[in-house]
């Protein structure tokens, strides 16, 4: 295996610097939000990630408390949808993560 065969991995998190909470918006919560966006259901999103609904709900609530805004709108038996702020944050997160992965790969190739 050559060093040039390896590639870097960048883990992005977004946080509220004014929050005393420890929850961050990172890869896991981003995947959960994508699942809600795509399925219209927190329960379905959690199942697709092999996660218990109660754990998914706890992660959502802790992240909302940390960020200072609501991520989900629950509609009882009709499922859940992402708030406008959550959709905007998810889009920004995905674009930034993609850009950072591309940059890290390019820079690593220059170094090895």
């Amino acid at each position: 295996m050559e060093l040039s065969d390896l590639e870097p991995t960048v883990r992005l998190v977004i946080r509220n610097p004014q929050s005393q909470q420890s929850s961050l918006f990172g890869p896991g919560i981003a995947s959960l939000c994508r699942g809600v966006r795509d399925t219209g259901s927190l329960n379905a999103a959690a199942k697709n990630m092999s996660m218990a609904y109660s754990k998914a709900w706890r992660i959502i609530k802790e992240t909302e408390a940390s960020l200072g805004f609501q991520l989900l709108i629950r509609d009882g038996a009709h499922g859940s949808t992402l708030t406008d702020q959550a959709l905007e944050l998810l889009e920004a997160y995905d674009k930034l993560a993609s850009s950072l992965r591309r940059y890290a790969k390019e820079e690593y190739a220059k170094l090895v």
Side-chain angles (χ1 to χ4, degrees):
M1 174 71 62
E2 298 293 324
L3 289 179
S4 59
D5 295 330
L6 303 174
E7 59 183 45
T9 299
V10 177
R11 184 177 188 271
L12 171 67
V13 295
I14 296 175
R15 68 180 187 92
N16 177 354
Q18 298 172 349
S19 176
Q20 299 302 314
Q21 304 286 331
S22 61
S23 294
L24 305 167
F25 191 92
I29 190 77
S31 292
L32 196 54
C33 286
R34 274 188 226 99
V36 170
R37 180 195 63 200
D38 297 345
T39 66
S41 166
L42 179 59
N43 191 30
K47 284 182 181 175
N48 288 341
M49 294 177 68
S50 300
M51 181 187 299
Y53 173 80
S54 58
K55 181 177 180 180
W57 185 246
R58 188 183 82 249
I59 289 169
I60 291 288
K61 293 318 256 173
E62 288 172 356
T63 305
E64 287 177 339
S66 180
L67 294 176
F69 62 86
Q70 191 174 352
L71 295 171
L72 289 186
I73 299 169
R74 263 187 93 224
D75 190 14
H78 298 349
S80 299
T81 56
L82 296 180
T83 63
D84 290 341
Q85 279 185 303
L87 286 167
E88 188 176 345
L89 177 60
L90 181 59
E91 183 178 344
Y93 179 88
D94 286 342
K95 286 180 180 178
L96 183 56
S98 177
S99 178
L100 288 172
R101 282 190 301 271
R102 193 170 41 255
Y103 176 78
K105 192 172 183 178
E106 291 168 2
E107 289 301 306
Y108 183 76
K110 292 177 190 176
L111 297 170
V112 296

